[in-house]
Amino acid sequence: GRTAYVIGTVTFAGGYFLAEVIAIRTATSTITKVMTIRSKQSIEISAIGITPNGRTAYLLNQGFLPTPSYGTVIPLRIATSTLGKPITVAPGPAAIVFTK
């Protein structure tokens, strides 16, 4: 693969949780983009899954706070390194599987 995606640290600033997803060009080991997820809900990205065609990655967000809460799956468009609209799921998503 040409790009590796790394989950960065979560911070809290200005009333928002902020999480980073960092794109790294594998050939040169350089950061090409840092994407920030900003949310009033807690953010804890636990895993990244990439579709078999390599076009979209999905970030699993645990989302435990505030209680009761929900988790989300956040699409990441590989070609543009842009984040899509979060998909609400049950709290604590732990794994993602793709089928063809």
Side-chain angles (χ1 to χ4, degrees):
R2 295 180 196 149
T3 306
Y5 291 92
V6 178
I7 301 164
T9 59
V10 175
T11 58
F12 187 79
Y16 289 91
F17 290 92
L18 306 169
E20 293 179 341
V21 178
I22 303 156
I24 299 172
R25 179 170 293 136
T26 57
T28 60
S29 297
T30 56
I31 294 173
T32 58
K33 186 166 189 174
V34 177
M35 296 153 280
T36 301
I37 302 167
R38 180 178 172 217
S39 177
K40 288 280 189 182
Q41 301 288 326
S42 70
I43 299 173
E44 184 181 331
I45 305 297
S46 62
I48 299 174
I50 299 177
T51 58
N53 65 13
R55 293 184 182 147
T56 307
Y58 290 90
L59 312 172
L60 301 185
N61 176 31
Q62 298 295 308
F64 291 118
L65 299 171
T67 304
S69 191
Y70 54 86
T72 57
V73 178
I74 305 166
L76 167 63
R77 291 173 196 88
I78 300 292
T80 59
S81 293
T82 56
L83 298 167
K85 182 179 177 184
I87 302 161
T88 301
V89 296
I96 188 166
V97 176
F98 299 98
T99 61
K100 269 190 161 184

